[in-house]
Amino acid sequence: MHPRPSGIVTLLTDFGLADPYVGILKGALLRAAPKVTMVDLCHDVPPHDLVTGAFFVGATIGRFPSGTVHVAVVDPGVGTARALLAVAAHDNYWLGPDNGLLSPLWQPEGREADVRQIDVDHLGLRPESRTFHGRDLLAPVAGWLAGGRFGFSALGPRFAPQQTLPAQATPRVVHVDRFGNLITSLRAEPFATAGGVRLGGRSIPRHGTYGDVPPGSLLAYVGSFGLVEVAQHGGSAARSLDLARGAPVELLGP
Amino acid sequence: MHPRPSGIVTLLTDFGLADPYVGILKGALLRAAPKVTMVDLCHDVPPHDLVTGAFFVGATIGRFPSGTVHVAVVDPGVGTARALLAVAAHDNYWLGPDNGLLSPLWQPEGREADVRQIDVDHLGLRPESRTFHGRDLLAPVAGWLAGGRFGFSALGPRFAPQQTLPAQATPRVVHVDRFGNLITSLRAEPFATAGGVRLGGRSIPRHGTYGDVPPGSLLAYVGSFGLVEVAQHGGSAARSLDLARGAPVELLGP
Amino acid sequence: MHPRPSGIVTLLTDFGLADPYVGILKGALLRAAPKVTMVDLCHDVPPHDLVTGAFFVGATIGRFPSGTVHVAVVDPGVGTARALLAVAAHDNYWLGPDNGLLSPLWQPEGREADVRQIDVDHLGLRPESRTFHGRDLLAPVAGWLAGGRFGFSALGPRFAPQQTLPAQATPRVVHVDRFGNLITSLRAEPFATAGGVRLGGRSIPRHGTYGDVPPGSLLAYVGSFGLVEVAQHGGSAARSLDLARGAPVELLGP
């Protein structure tokens, strides 16, 4: 049912890299499972930005070996009564706070996910701090799960997540990447027969990749997330269009 | 006496991540010990900032498996006559220049540390450069120590460190993290019965964690370093109070 | 002939660390070779900056164990007809696009390199996207090569690279690092008998390392790349001299 652990643990946080928090979390993980392989998914989620964090959680689905454990820590409510979740879904495992960060695992409706509340007391965990549960609670649990000390079902009882990020009513820009590419919530299928997209008051034609248009031109294409993106060949679409996350977008006719 | 090497090496530098220096140092480490597990503790110590570097050295004590080797390189005097140290302390090993960076390992007085001067010639090391001893000297020594080729005592003779960072006469802010939290040098014990702290002309009440106060409020609490911190729920205390490292702080009465 | 794979894969990209692209590429690599050791060489190459990328490619030659596989992705032409290369050179392997990024492997003339065009179809690879060949093509090939599933010669036929970055006619600053050190294209040998260099209208004397001059002074020295650099002791030479990449430099007489 649940996959065998791969021994791989990924880390997604809003800790940044200018402090030693990520390194210290890894120390806690290695104390629980010295042989684990650790992968940094991203640590530059803007502080407390659950929307970006959740987008990155969704973006990793299907991208890692069966049985990989993902630790996600964007946790403005750390130390309060919010639950910590363990989720088995998509042939991988995820650990994180119950604040919506993990909701792409059970959204859109119908995605199957086995959600547990991590039973901190039962696992014998006593958090050393009230502000760093990534280190004190999630890292050891991730190590035990990845290292095989505990199976998924032993982490705690089934649980209905209390928080889910609101689904978007209309298509929008969901992320702007380093290159200034505007990643939208539009999926590939309906786009296949569209002429392009309308965004920021501009009609942007559909193409296959950057090099299919002259330098400086804007294009819409299916990007690596499987979503429609808008880019500028050799430039930043975000800067050219002066747009940010949340900008509405719509499909153009064929 | 000295712990068995764990095969784990952590790296703490002021190299930043925009240059290939960290990667090249890892290449030198892997050439000395191909099976070593490497952990980035932090590479964004501000250039030549020994105070931040030393704070991060102290913050990792007790956080990694027994026998972990830590390499710390903030080294404005690279290539001059300053010694390179190997330190066995707190069940781990540390390597770094004798410039105060490692002084949290033997401070406050009474902390036990076995300090050696790395005997570069005796170990057969010939630095290829005079400006990158992290790569040319510390990385191979770390690899040999972590991989078991040399025991700690073989690295060089006992040595009295020449440089120790001055201890702080009065409590101060010692670090500002990415979230704008102000980490002070005040320890947890005396704070337990205090009403809070006085900082930047403001009295800030003691609480357990961010979520215990309304959004926008300031709070003082024991943070994950075991030190008193001041934060703003959902904001940046550093920005709100317009304070930086070095700002004096004092305990409030009960 | 070709070295045995070391099981180590390095990654050099212009992806930055604020997006999950590097982590997702690592997922693809681990799916192809779960036991591989991954090293981040640098991910902060400025977007599409082939000159910096190529400088970093050259800087890693000879720095990793025999049989290490290097993946280099600075790829503005992704998804177009440009070839993907596999190169065996300097006892290591490199994978990357045919756009000049890998040209330091066969430059200066006479350097020996066995260059192949990766035969995507023959290897059974079907890229999932047209904009992330690092994930879809290079990561699996790197995993197979590093993990021993395919030997180098099986990756594709011999190929003459179509793109080589133009060699510099005159000595220049080729990189400015985090410390503001100006790394030039001048080699160590002719510098050994020079009095220093002329740069930005200033004559800068030759020394061994930063600490050989008083704080605030400029110096020229042989840096860790084996190239002449100009630094300011305790400061940023780039800022003091107001110079950037491309500034011309010349040797001073003895």
Side-chain angles (χ1 to χ4, degrees):
Chain A
M1 288 266 301
H2 294 130
R4 250 174 84 101
S6 66
I8 299 165
V9 176
T10 83
L11 303 173
L12 170 67
T13 77
D14 64 351
F15 296 167
L17 294 173
D19 297 300
Y21 297 132
V22 172
I24 287 173
L25 190 155
K26 288 179 179 173
L29 193 46
L30 289 167
R31 285 201 286 164
K35 298 287 176 204
V36 90
T37 296
M38 297 176 294
V39 176
D40 296 300
L41 200 61
C42 183
H43 298 293
D44 272 343
V45 173
H48 301 167
D49 181 347
L50 291 172
V51 173
T52 294
F55 177 67
F56 290 1
V57 165
T60 53
I61 295 175
R63 299 281 163 213
F64 281 82
S66 171
T68 295
V69 177
H70 306 275
V71 177
V73 192
V74 180
D75 192 13
V78 63
T80 62
R82 62 96 188 83
L84 289 174
L85 305 181
V87 183
H90 313 289
D91 209 33
N92 278 202
Y93 300 104
W94 275 266
L95 308 177
D98 181 14
N99 60 12
L101 183 63
L102 301 183
S103 51
L105 302 175
W106 53 81
Q107 280 190 321
E109 223 184 316
R111 280 193 168 178
E112 266 187 55
D114 181 346
V115 184
R116 311 287 175 129
Q117 176 171 18
I118 296 174
D119 192 335
V120 169
D121 292 335
H122 187 76
L123 294 169
L125 287 163
R126 292 211 215 146
E128 206 184 309
S129 77
R130 282 190 64 191
T131 54
F132 198 177
H133 285 181
R135 175 193 72 187
D136 297 343
L137 300 174
L138 294 176
V141 172
W144 295 338
L145 181 58
R149 176 163 161 191
F150 287 109
F152 175 75
S153 309
L155 299 182
R158 282 179 200 278
F159 184 75
Q162 304 296 296
Q163 301 294 331
T164 290
L165 292 184
Q168 278 167 336
T170 54
R172 291 184 184 274
V173 171
V174 291
H175 183 61
V176 179
D177 76 10
R178 165 190 228 206
F179 299 92
N181 299 337
L182 300 154
I183 295 128
T184 79
S185 57
L186 290 167
R187 305 220 152 250
E189 301 76 33
F191 181 69
T193 54
V197 300
R198 188 147 186 93
L199 179 64
R202 297 275 291 270
S203 291
I204 298 156
R206 177 166 61 85
H207 286 282
T209 187
Y210 320 124
D212 293 349
V213 301
S217 296
L218 294 162
L219 71 152
Y221 59 98
V222 178
S224 67
F225 296 109
L227 298 168
V228 176
E229 303 184 6
V230 169
Q232 182 184 34
H233 183 188
S236 162
R239 215 175 303 129
S240 287
L241 294 169
D242 194 22
L243 291 177
R245 189 175 76 195
V249 59
E250 53 183 315
L251 284 181
L252 291 175
Chain B
M1 288 266 302
H2 295 131
R4 248 176 83 101
S6 66
I8 299 165
V9 176
T10 83
L11 303 173
L12 170 67
T13 77
D14 64 351
F15 297 168
L17 293 173
D19 296 301
Y21 297 133
V22 172
I24 288 172
L25 191 155
K26 289 179 178 173
L29 192 47
L30 289 168
R31 286 200 286 165
K35 298 287 176 204
V36 89
T37 295
M38 297 176 294
V39 176
D40 295 301
L41 200 61
C42 183
H43 298 292
D44 273 342
V45 173
H48 301 166
D49 181 347
L50 290 170
V51 173
T52 294
F55 177 67
F56 290 1
V57 165
T60 53
I61 294 175
R63 298 281 164 213
F64 281 83
S66 171
T68 294
V69 177
H70 305 275
V71 177
V73 192
V74 180
D75 192 12
V78 61
T80 62
R82 61 95 188 82
L84 290 174
L85 305 180
V87 183
H90 313 289
D91 209 33
N92 278 201
Y93 301 104
W94 276 267
L95 308 177
D98 181 14
N99 60 11
L101 183 63
L102 300 183
S103 50
L105 302 175
W106 52 81
Q107 279 190 318
E109 225 183 314
R111 278 194 170 178
E112 267 188 53
D114 181 345
V115 183
R116 310 288 173 128
Q117 176 173 17
I118 296 174
D119 192 334
V120 169
D121 292 336
H122 187 76
L123 294 170
L125 287 162
R126 292 210 214 147
E128 206 184 310
S129 77
R130 283 190 64 191
T131 53
F132 199 176
H133 285 180
R135 175 192 72 187
D136 296 343
L137 300 174
L138 295 176
V141 172
W144 296 337
L145 181 58
R149 177 163 159 190
F150 288 109
F152 175 76
S153 309
L155 299 183
R158 283 181 200 278
F159 184 75
Q162 305 295 296
Q163 301 295 330
T164 289
L165 292 184
Q168 278 168 335
T170 54
R172 292 185 183 275
V173 172
V174 291
H175 183 61
V176 179
D177 75 9
R178 166 190 228 207
F179 300 93
N181 299 337
L182 300 153
I183 296 127
T184 79
S185 57
L186 290 167
R187 305 218 153 252
E189 303 74 34
F191 181 70
T193 54
V197 300
R198 187 146 185 91
L199 178 65
R202 297 275 291 272
S203 291
I204 298 154
R206 177 166 60 88
H207 287 281
T209 185
Y210 321 124
D212 292 349
V213 300
S217 296
L218 293 162
L219 69 152
Y221 59 98
V222 178
S224 66
F225 297 108
L227 299 168
V228 176
E229 303 183 8
V230 169
Q232 182 183 34
H233 183 189
S236 162
R239 214 175 304 130
S240 287
L241 294 169
D242 193 22
L243 290 177
R245 189 175 77 195
V249 60
E250 53 184 315
L251 284 180
L252 291 174
Chain C
M1 290 263 303
H2 294 130
R4 251 174 81 101
S6 66
I8 299 165
V9 176
T10 84
L11 302 173
L12 169 67
T13 77
D14 63 351
F15 297 168
L17 293 173
D19 297 300
Y21 297 132
V22 172
I24 287 173
L25 191 155
K26 289 179 177 172
L29 193 46
L30 290 167
R31 286 200 286 164
K35 297 289 176 203
V36 89
T37 296
M38 297 176 293
V39 176
D40 295 300
L41 200 61
C42 183
H43 298 292
D44 273 343
V45 173
H48 301 166
D49 181 347
L50 291 171
V51 173
T52 294
F55 177 67
F56 291 2
V57 165
T60 53
I61 295 175
R63 298 281 162 214
F64 281 83
S66 171
T68 294
V69 177
H70 306 275
V71 177
V73 192
V74 180
D75 192 12
V78 62
T80 62
R82 62 94 188 83
L84 290 174
L85 305 180
V87 183
H90 314 288
D91 209 33
N92 277 202
Y93 300 105
W94 276 267
L95 308 177
D98 181 14
N99 60 12
L101 183 64
L102 301 183
S103 50
L105 302 175
W106 53 81
Q107 280 189 320
E109 224 184 315
R111 278 195 168 176
E112 267 188 52
D114 181 346
V115 184
R116 310 287 174 129
Q117 175 171 18
I118 295 175
D119 192 335
V120 169
D121 292 335
H122 187 75
L123 294 169
L125 287 163
R126 292 210 215 146
E128 207 184 308
S129 77
R130 283 189 64 191
T131 54
F132 198 177
H133 285 179
R135 175 194 72 188
D136 297 342
L137 300 175
L138 295 176
V141 172
W144 296 337
L145 181 58
R149 176 162 160 192
F150 288 109
F152 175 75
S153 309
L155 299 183
R158 282 181 201 277
F159 184 75
Q162 305 295 297
Q163 301 294 331
T164 290
L165 292 183
Q168 278 169 334
T170 55
R172 291 182 184 276
V173 172
V174 290
H175 183 63
V176 179
D177 75 9
R178 165 188 228 209
F179 299 93
N181 299 338
L182 300 154
I183 295 128
T184 78
S185 56
L186 291 168
R187 307 220 150 249
E189 301 77 32
F191 181 70
T193 54
V197 298
R198 187 146 187 94
L199 178 65
R202 298 275 291 271
S203 291
I204 298 154
R206 178 166 60 86
H207 287 281
T209 187
Y210 321 123
D212 292 349
V213 300
S217 296
L218 293 162
L219 70 151
Y221 59 98
V222 178
S224 67
F225 296 109
L227 298 169
V228 176
E229 303 183 7
V230 168
Q232 183 184 33
H233 184 189
S236 162
R239 215 176 302 129
S240 287
L241 294 169
D242 194 22
L243 290 177
R245 188 176 77 194
V249 60
E250 53 184 314
L251 285 180
L252 292 174

